């Protein structure tokens, strides 16, 4: 039935089609799926009145044109309702009688045109049947003329009887006039056998024909035919059942279009799509695509490799199952792209990989394409974890370098201050003693300066010892050698030796609470630590009541508290209190190195304990040392 050797260019076919339909005496009106006039011939315009022409009506609202046509009818409301019902049902109908106000009689044919399952157009054809009242010859002439026009339309057109036998076939479907004459009254099985076509082709057509016949519905399908050279040709076929006035199938119209070019384009598009997806799968970046409702429809191999998740593992395919909703900045950017406010946005996000490790990604979000339309998002994620770690390491190095520089500056300032003052005292004391010796003054007059020199030398020695101790601590060269002692006796002996009294005459107050127990300590370390805390309490509370030392024995720890009523510590300084060369901002001219508490903290931690401090400016300070008991 189908001519495999002749094809028409879409532009040429459309122009010939419209030209031929324009020559018909039958009024023809074609509206598209959006109910806009796509074709109107002069004969249809003549029904509406002398002021209408095809150029004016092209693109007009179809409902309006039907309303204008109804105004020409004797029964306007019935005409309008019948047209609306036909469009709503979407079923072909023929021979619907229409009586005009001017006494003419028309038969109206309606054909909905489908491409696959999609409605493409509504076709209205009117036949003037007034001559039926004047004689059958005129009507036969009109039918012949109509068939002649159908015969040259550049599309495969055939009309079948209800028993699936050809009643008409046009020139586009079968070019050979002899075969065209022979085929009338034959069925597709006979035609395929005659032309050497596969029997399966006829059986397939018979199946679709039977569906259209029994269901009284339009049926469409695609056929693939091969020419003599083995080339494939694709056709879209449609069976339209034409119903009589009694709603029985009077005949079946077959309409066929050559869609080979379209199929080839679809195949090329499919190949391009496969290449595109293959390219995405080979990218190092993780790629995610989601539609306008954020349902993911693609993730590439890099995504699955990084996060170990597939589309099937994401509940309902929602993007939130792949990237946690808590990434607020990421989703703010996503919704910005979806809303059209931005097109391409970038940012940084951290996501746990399939091993549960946090990794950093640089993301880019762009508008996506889904089902041929620009909607949804395309997100690419590039793993920058190593880069982030390098940045963090660099920042840590910079931070440590700054701390080192600050420490160096503090050390230089501290050394400069702590050495300059004693050296100045020693130098001036020595000069005074020299002058006194030259003047013959007795030795007794020089004792005060001798003591000053001794005191300053002791300070310098203590300072150098502290520096040496910090150096040993950092080098790990101090051994921890605990032994069981009576802590209370140990402290009282130390107090009697150094703080009964202190240099300014005040005496350390000592109290204890709880069951007296032996405790394991390194005597040298613990003496150094406790001595530093107690002497600070005296040094920073000059002119105030003497410091107080409390010992409390609990079941697990022994706590030693040293409290004073001195200048206290600013809250902003407490967190840096145990950092080398750091002193409180309110210490003023009170001498100190800023390294004593560093040694204290280290020595107490060697005992498995810790040091804590409570203080407010000008309200004194309390240092608490907690030491666990040694195992029995």
């Amino acid at each position: 039935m189908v001519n495999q050797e002749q094809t028409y260019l879409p532009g040429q076919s459309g122009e010939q089609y419209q030209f031929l339909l324009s020559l018909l005496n039958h009024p023809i009106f074609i509206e598209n799926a959006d109910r806009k006039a796509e074709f109107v011939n002069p004969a249809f315009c003549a029904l509406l009145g002398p002021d209408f022409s095809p150029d004016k009506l092209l693109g007009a609202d179809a409902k309006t044109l039907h309303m204008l046509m109804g105004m020409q009818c004797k029964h306007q409301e019935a005409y309008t309702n019948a047209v609306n019902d036909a469009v709503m049902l979407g079923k072909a109908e023929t021979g619907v009688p229409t009586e005009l106000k001017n006494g003419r009689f028309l038969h109206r044919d309606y054909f909905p045109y489908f491409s696959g399952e999609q409605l493409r157009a509504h076709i209205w054809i009117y036949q003037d049947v007034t001559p039926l009242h004047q004689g059958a010859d005129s009507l036969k002439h009109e039918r012949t003329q109509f068939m002649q026009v159908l015969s040259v339309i550049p599309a495969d057109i055939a009309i079948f009887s209800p028993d699936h036998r050809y009643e008409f076939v046009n020139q586009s479907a079968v070019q050979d006039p002899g075969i065209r004459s022979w085929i009338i009254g034959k069925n597709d099985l006979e035609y395929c056998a005659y032309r050497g076509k596969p029997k399966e082709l006829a059986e397939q057509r018979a199946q679709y024909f039977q569906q259209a016949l029994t269901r009284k519905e339009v049926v469409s399908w695609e056929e693939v035919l091969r020419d003599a050279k083995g080339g494939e040709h694709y056709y879209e076929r449609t069976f339209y059942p034409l119903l009589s006035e009694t709603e029985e199938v009077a005949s079946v119209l077959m309409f066929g279009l050559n869609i080979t070019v379209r199929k080839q384009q679809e195949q090329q598009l499919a190949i391009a799509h496969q290449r595109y997806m293959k390219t995405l799968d080979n990218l190092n970046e993780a790629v995610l695509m989601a539609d306008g409702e954020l349902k993911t429809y693609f993730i590439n191999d890099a995504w699955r490799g990084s996060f170990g998740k597939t589309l099937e593992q994401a509940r309902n395919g929602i993007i939130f199952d792949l990237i946690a909703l808590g990434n607020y900045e990421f989703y703010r950017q996503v919704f910005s792209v979806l809303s059209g406010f931005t097109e391409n946005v970038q940012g940084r996000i951290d996501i746990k990989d399939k091993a549960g490790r946090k990794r950093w990604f640089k993301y880019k979000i762009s508008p996506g394409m889904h089902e041929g339309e620009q909607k949804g998002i395309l997100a690419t994620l590039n793993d920058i974890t190593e880069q982030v770690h390098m940045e963090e390491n660099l920042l840590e190095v910079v931070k440590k370098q700054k701390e080192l520089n600050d420490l160096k500056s503090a050390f230089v300032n501290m050394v400069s201050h702590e050495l300059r003052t004693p050296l100045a005292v020693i130098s001036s004391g020595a000069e005074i003693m020299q002058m006194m010796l030259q003047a013959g003054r007795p030795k007794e007059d020089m004792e005060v300066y001798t003591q000053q020199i001794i005191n300053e030398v002791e300070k310098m020695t203590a300072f150098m010892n502290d520096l040496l101790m910090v150096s040993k601590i950092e080098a790990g060269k101090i051994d921890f050698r605990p032994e069981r002692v009576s802590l209370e006796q140990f402290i009282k002996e130390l107090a009697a030796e150094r703080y009964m009294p202190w240099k300014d005459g005040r005496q350390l107050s000592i109290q204890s609470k709880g069951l007296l127990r032996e405790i394991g300590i390194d005597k040298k370390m613990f003496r150094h630590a406790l001595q530093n805390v107690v002497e600070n309490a005296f040094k920073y509370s000059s002119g105030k009541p003497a410091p107080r030392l409390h010992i409390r024995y609990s079941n697990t720890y022994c706590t030693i508290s040293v409290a004073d009523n001195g200048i206290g510590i600013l809250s902003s300084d407490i967190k840096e209190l145990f950092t080398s060369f750091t002193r409180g901002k309110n210490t003023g001219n009170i001498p100190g190195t800023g390294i004593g508490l560093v040694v204290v903290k280290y020595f107490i931690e060697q005992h498995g304990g810790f040091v804590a401090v409570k203080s407010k400016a000008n309200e004194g300070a309390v240092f608490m040392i907690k030491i666990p008991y040694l195992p029995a």
Side-chain angles (χ1 to χ4, degrees):
M1 183 189 88
V2 180
N3 173 26
Q4 300 176 357
E5 300 178 356
Q6 181 179 3
T7 56
Y8 294 87
L9 295 174
Q12 293 174 337
S13 297
E15 292 171 1
Q16 292 178 13
Y17 176 77
Q18 295 187 12
F19 174 72
L20 291 170
L21 291 180
S22 298
L23 297 178
L24 284 176
N25 291 329
H26 295 294
I28 298 176
F29 169 39
I30 301 176
E31 57 179 284
N32 60 26
D34 295 327
R35 302 299 307 276
K36 300 294 182 182
E38 192 166 273
F39 174 80
V40 183
N41 72 346
F44 181 81
C45 293
L47 291 177
L48 302 182
D51 296 328
F52 296 95
S53 66
D55 292 336
K56 290 182 179 180
L57 297 184
L58 192 64
D61 180 71
K63 295 179 181 179
T64 302
L65 298 187
H66 285 302
M67 182 186 69
L68 293 174
M69 182 63 194
M71 295 172 62
Q72 313 303 319
C73 299
K74 187 174 182 180
H75 304 288
Q76 178 178 350
E77 184 176 354
Y79 172 88
T80 304
N81 291 338
V83 168
N84 291 336
D85 290 343
V87 172
M88 182 177 65
L89 293 175
K91 293 183 178 181
E93 56 184 20
T94 60
V96 179
T98 303
E99 184 178 359
L100 302 183
K101 291 179 180 179
N102 60 10
R104 297 171 62 192
F105 290 86
L106 304 176
H107 277 180
R108 183 183 73 249
D109 295 342
Y110 166 64
F111 303 102
Y113 174 63
F114 291 82
S115 177
E117 294 183 358
Q118 186 173 2
L119 179 67
R120 295 291 188 184
H122 305 278
I123 303 173
W124 307 89
I125 302 175
Y126 297 81
Q127 298 182 53
D128 190 343
V129 295
T130 304
L132 287 175
H133 300 277
Q134 302 172 353
D137 291 341
S138 176
L139 180 61
K140 183 177 181 180
H141 175 73
E142 288 287 334
R143 178 177 175 82
T144 301
Q145 186 182 29
F146 182 67
M147 292 298 187
Q148 288 175 345
V149 173
L150 289 179
S151 187
V152 296
I153 288 179
D156 296 352
I157 298 176
I159 299 177
F160 294 89
S161 64
D163 60 350
H164 197 185
R165 294 189 176 275
Y166 285 94
E167 293 182 344
F168 169 82
V169 61
N170 74 344
Q171 183 177 344
S172 177
V174 179
Q175 282 190 317
D176 190 315
I179 297 177
R180 218 168 38 248
S181 175
W182 171 86
I183 202 174
I184 302 303
K186 306 294 190 303
N187 58 30
D188 271 320
L189 268 174
E190 295 170 304
Y191 172 73
C192 288
Y194 179 77
R195 295 297 296 267
K197 296 181 182 296
K199 180 182 177 181
E200 292 78 11
L201 178 64
E203 292 173 345
Q204 184 187 51
R205 291 180 181 177
Q207 179 183 352
Y208 289 122
F209 183 91
Q210 193 61 32
Q211 289 180 14
L213 189 69
T214 56
R215 299 176 185 175
K216 299 179 182 180
E217 295 178 350
V218 176
V219 177
S220 297
W221 78 101
E222 289 186 4
E223 279 185 356
V224 182
L225 302 178
R226 294 184 180 275
D227 58 24
K229 297 181 180 180
E232 291 185 341
H233 298 266
Y234 296 85
Y235 292 86
E236 185 177 71
R237 308 281 189 200
T238 303
F239 279 138
Y240 292 89
L242 306 178
L243 306 181
S244 66
E245 294 181 0
T246 60
E247 296 296 316
E248 297 298 324
V249 178
S251 56
V252 177
L253 173 69
M254 193 283 295
F255 190 87
L257 289 175
N258 189 328
I259 59 170
T260 303
V261 174
R262 189 182 78 187
K263 293 295 291 187
Q264 290 172 345
Q265 292 173 342
E266 290 176 354
Q267 291 170 356
Q268 291 172 356
L269 182 61
I271 292 173
H273 181 264
Q274 291 176 355
R275 290 175 178 170
Y276 173 66
M277 292 303 177
K278 186 75 172 178
T279 302
L280 291 179
D281 268 336
N282 289 329
L283 290 177
N284 292 327
E285 292 86 356
V287 178
L288 177 149
M289 297 182 185
D291 62 18
E293 296 180 355
L294 292 184
K295 291 183 177 180
T296 42
Y297 59 89
F298 176 79
I299 55 177
N300 69 343
D301 283 344
W303 183 283
R304 294 187 287 271
S306 296
F307 306 112
K309 292 183 179 180
T310 64
L311 283 177
E312 292 75 17
Q313 292 171 325
R315 186 180 66 252
N316 300 321
I318 301 297
I319 189 175
F320 305 136
D321 296 318
L322 300 176
I323 299 178
L325 190 57
N327 294 284
Y328 302 114
E329 179 60 21
F330 175 82
Y331 282 107
R332 187 186 71 80
Q333 302 281 31
V334 166
F335 290 118
S336 177
V337 172
L338 282 178
S339 303
F341 296 132
T342 54
E343 288 191 357
N344 296 293
V345 294
Q346 296 182 6
R348 198 162 77 170
I349 187 174
D350 62 281
I351 309 176
K352 289 186 177 180
D353 63 13
K354 59 185 179 183
R357 298 168 300 188
K358 184 171 78 170
R359 301 189 69 82
W360 288 92
F361 294 84
K362 180 180 180 182
Y363 65 79
K364 181 178 181 181
I365 305 172
S366 306
M369 295 290 295
H370 187 53
E371 296 180 350
E373 298 182 15
Q374 182 170 326
K375 59 182 179 180
I377 62 161
L378 166 64
T380 59
L381 289 81
N382 188 20
D383 193 334
I384 58 170
T385 304
E386 296 302 324
Q387 177 183 334
V388 170
H389 287 166
M390 289 177 63
E391 291 175 357
E392 291 174 347
N393 291 338
L394 182 59
L395 289 174
E396 186 65 24
V397 169
V398 171
K399 179 182 177 182
K400 288 187 177 299
Q401 185 65 39
K402 183 178 182 301
E403 291 176 353
L404 185 61
N405 290 336
D406 292 343
L407 190 63
K408 180 180 177 181
S409 298
F411 175 75
V412 171
N413 291 334
M414 183 270 299
V415 169
S416 175
H417 179 270
E418 291 301 317
L419 293 182
R420 183 186 298 116
T421 301
L423 288 174
V425 172
I426 293 172
S427 177
S428 61
E431 289 177 358
I432 293 174
M433 289 174 63
Q434 185 178 21
M435 289 187 293
M436 294 178 71
L437 286 171
Q438 292 174 351
R441 301 284 295 273
K443 294 181 179 180
E444 291 77 9
D445 293 345
M446 293 184 279
E447 285 182 0
V448 62
Y449 299 104
T450 303
Q451 189 60 45
Q452 283 182 351
I453 292 173
I454 294 173
N455 291 340
E456 295 304 325
V457 170
E458 288 179 351
K459 289 180 181 179
M460 292 176 64
T461 302
F463 171 60
M464 297 306 297
N465 287 336
D466 284 344
L467 285 179
L468 182 60
M469 189 68 69
V470 170
S471 176
K472 288 182 177 180
I473 290 173
E474 292 179 346
K477 294 182 178 180
I478 298 181
D479 295 329
F480 176 61
R481 297 175 180 176
E483 56 182 289
R484 292 183 180 277
V485 299
S486 169
L487 183 63
E488 190 166 349
Q489 182 179 350
F490 177 83
I491 292 175
K492 286 181 178 179
E493 289 177 356
L494 175 63
E497 178 185 335
R498 298 184 63 87
Y499 313 118
M500 296 292 187
W502 174 248
K503 299 174 184 178
D504 60 4
R506 292 181 295 165
Q507 295 194 16
L508 180 66
S509 171
I510 301 176
Q511 296 180 350
S512 65
K513 183 177 182 182
L515 181 62
L516 181 65
R517 298 174 60 177
E518 287 189 342
I519 187 169
I521 61 172
D522 182 311
K523 286 185 176 181
K524 187 175 180 180
M525 283 188 182
F526 198 81
R527 178 185 178 90
H528 188 104
L530 186 60
Q531 188 174 306
N532 189 291
V533 172
V534 173
E535 291 183 3
N536 279 349
F538 276 104
K539 182 169 61 174
Y540 294 110
S541 64
S542 179
K544 302 288 184 178
R548 304 169 301 281
L549 188 150
H550 297 270
I551 306 171
R552 185 168 66 87
Y553 300 95
S554 65
N555 291 333
T556 308
Y557 282 92
C558 176
T559 304
I560 301 137
S561 300
V562 178
D564 66 67
N565 298 98
I567 62 174
I569 305 168
L570 299 175
S571 58
S572 59
D573 291 336
I574 289 180
K575 61 181 180 179
E576 302 291 337
L577 199 60
F578 296 94
T579 304
S580 296
F581 311 118
T582 301
R583 303 189 68 209
K585 299 181 182 64
N586 61 339
T587 55
N589 294 323
I590 300 174
T593 63
I595 59 175
L597 290 179
V598 176
V599 177
V600 171
K601 181 174 181 293
Y602 176 80
F603 282 169
I604 298 303
E605 287 177 350
Q606 289 296 301
H607 288 77
F610 64 91
V611 183
V613 59
K614 292 182 180 180
S615 180
K616 288 185 179 180
N618 299 317
E619 294 185 13
V622 178
F623 280 82
M624 292 171 288
I625 298 174
K626 288 183 177 287
I627 302 236
Y629 302 117
L630 283 177

